[in-house]
Amino acid sequence: MRASLTALGTAALLLLAGTVPALADTGADQTFTIKDPRITESSGLAASRIHPGVYWTHNDSEDGPYLYAVDSRTGETVATVTMTGVGEPRDVEAISLGPDGNLYVGDIGDNLNGTWDHVWIYRLPEPKVLKDVTVRATQFDVTYADGARDAEALMVHPKTGRVWIASKNQDGGGLYEGPEHLSTSGNNVFKRVAEVPWVTDGAFSPDGTRLVLRGYLGADAYTFDDGKLGDERGLGAPFMMQAESVTYTADGTALMLGAEGPGSQVRRLEVKGTNAAQPTPEPGASGGGSASPEAGGKGSGADEGSGGGGSATGKGKSLLGGLIVIGAVWVVIRTKRRRTGA
């Protein structure tokens, strides 16, 4: 309960501080809206490496074995992949591209807090041609060394090909290291190697030296060295209702952040230098842009009113907005905890 209240309070501060403005929706890899009415719970994102500007996504649960390729230029779905050989997916939460050119799909959600005795990872080659197609996937059974748990983040390291999972808990989760090579002959046991905050998705930078972990209220970047998390940096990510997904653009110059819901938006967040997860201040912004709850940063106007500045009307509107965010985030958390998956 304490962690939930802290998160809700942070949400209000985030709204008061403002958010990073979206970039113009022109060209590939810019902010876009998912237009496909079938995609109502986009829960993972992966930037294609062979189709510039295309992003792979999927629904959360109760949808079936489907992946969607969405063109960031238009927001339209340009290919639907139907996976076979995987049974009936339960709670698909994440997708990532490996250095082998395969898509890795994480059927790893467990909203009943650890009732599944195992979860699954599906692997399939990224289609070379964008069209509706049926692809046979390889299914891997996954267990955790310290017992079953809920998870929404699966990341494949772009150099080693090792799969990592970040578990989700309101009091904090864990980063889990998979075996060097996944096997179809038995359980693939993932071992806890680090502690992480509440995580809904994650992504490695293209050079593998940074790991971005996203939650409902923001995102952090960590230096990454063979499973060891180093320096942490808040990214000033914009607040998005039911924030669920993150991926780097293929060239590593920006992050793309998504959320669940019909007609959901995927927002671009610039980073400084290729593969470097450091936010670029927006033109005219003071204090480095919007606040991140993880970074404890100050956005433009974050401290207005503390020294008597600002009108009473403005303060009242900000307070009302903060209360609305608190209520909205609480609804998201309660809804996610009640869901039972497919």
Side-chain angles (χ1 to χ4, degrees):
M1 177 64 72
R2 184 187 310 164
S4 296
L5 293 176
T6 300
L8 295 175
T10 305
L13 292 175
L14 181 63
L15 180 67
L16 300 180
T19 57
V20 175
L23 297 184
D25 188 7
T26 57
D29 300 319
Q30 303 298 320
T31 293
F32 66 95
T33 298
I34 296 175
K35 298 179 180 178
D36 192 330
R38 297 173 297 174
I39 305 174
T40 58
E41 294 183 320
S42 176
S43 192
L45 281 175
S48 173
R49 297 199 188 107
I50 58 178
H51 305 294
V54 168
Y55 290 83
W56 292 98
T57 190
H58 52 82
N59 281 314
D60 189 335
S61 58
E62 301 180 356
D63 180 43
Y66 306 116
L67 305 177
Y68 305 95
V70 180
D71 191 334
S72 61
R73 301 169 188 83
T74 63
E76 301 285 355
T77 297
V78 292
T80 301
V81 173
T82 302
M83 295 182 289
T84 62
V86 301
E88 186 67 28
R90 283 189 301 222
D91 194 353
V92 180
E93 292 286 356
I95 187 169
S96 184
L97 261 167
D100 54 4
N102 286 317
L103 288 164
Y104 290 74
V105 181
D107 191 355
I108 56 177
D110 188 347
N111 290 316
L112 297 179
N113 295 319
T115 40
W116 306 124
D117 59 0
H118 69 281
V119 291
W120 298 305
I121 293 172
Y122 313 131
R123 185 182 69 195
L124 65 156
E126 181 181 13
K128 291 182 172 57
V129 178
L130 290 175
K131 64 178 181 178
D132 292 351
V133 65
T134 298
V135 177
R136 185 167 187 84
T138 302
Q139 178 173 300
F140 302 98
D141 291 345
V142 170
T143 59
Y144 301 95
D146 54 355
R149 56 206 58 247
D150 189 18
E152 294 192 6
L154 176 147
M155 301 77 63
V156 182
H157 195 274
K159 300 300 181 182
T160 67
R162 189 186 293 269
V163 181
W164 301 79
I165 292 174
S167 67
K168 172 186 166 186
N169 187 284
Q170 70 180 55
D171 295 321
L175 179 65
Y176 289 81
E177 178 187 57
E180 184 177 0
H181 302 287
L182 296 177
S183 172
T184 58
S185 62
N187 284 333
N188 293 273
V189 180
F190 279 62
K191 300 178 180 178
R192 193 177 188 122
V193 297
E195 304 304 306
V196 296
W198 181 303
V199 174
T200 59
D201 201 11
F204 283 110
S205 59
D207 66 359
T209 63
R210 291 181 180 271
L211 174 62
V212 171
L213 296 176
R214 188 181 190 197
Y216 288 136
L217 302 177
D220 281 342
Y222 301 81
T223 55
F224 184 87
D225 183 13
D226 195 25
K228 298 180 180 64
L229 298 180
D231 294 339
E232 175 185 356
R233 181 185 295 272
L235 298 181
F239 176 75
M240 302 173 72
M241 184 57 64
Q242 200 153 338
E244 288 284 334
S245 56
V246 63
T247 186
Y248 274 86
T249 55
D251 63 7
T253 61
L255 291 165
M256 303 295 284
L257 303 124
E260 286 192 4
S264 60
Q265 193 177 62
V266 177
R267 300 179 69 172
R268 178 184 173 104
L269 179 66
E270 295 289 330
V271 294
K272 285 184 178 179
T274 302
N275 305 328
Q278 301 175 27
T280 298
E282 293 294 321
S286 63
S290 69
S292 164
E294 289 83 354
K298 298 176 182 178
S300 178
D303 289 338
E304 287 181 9
S306 60
S311 68
T313 301
K315 293 177 185 177
K317 290 181 179 179
S318 295
L319 178 59
L320 176 60
L323 292 174
I324 291 172
V325 169
I326 287 175
V329 174
W330 179 248
V331 168
V332 169
I333 293 173
R334 295 291 294 176
T335 299
K336 294 292 284 186
R337 293 184 65 182
R338 284 199 302 267
R339 291 171 60 186
T340 60

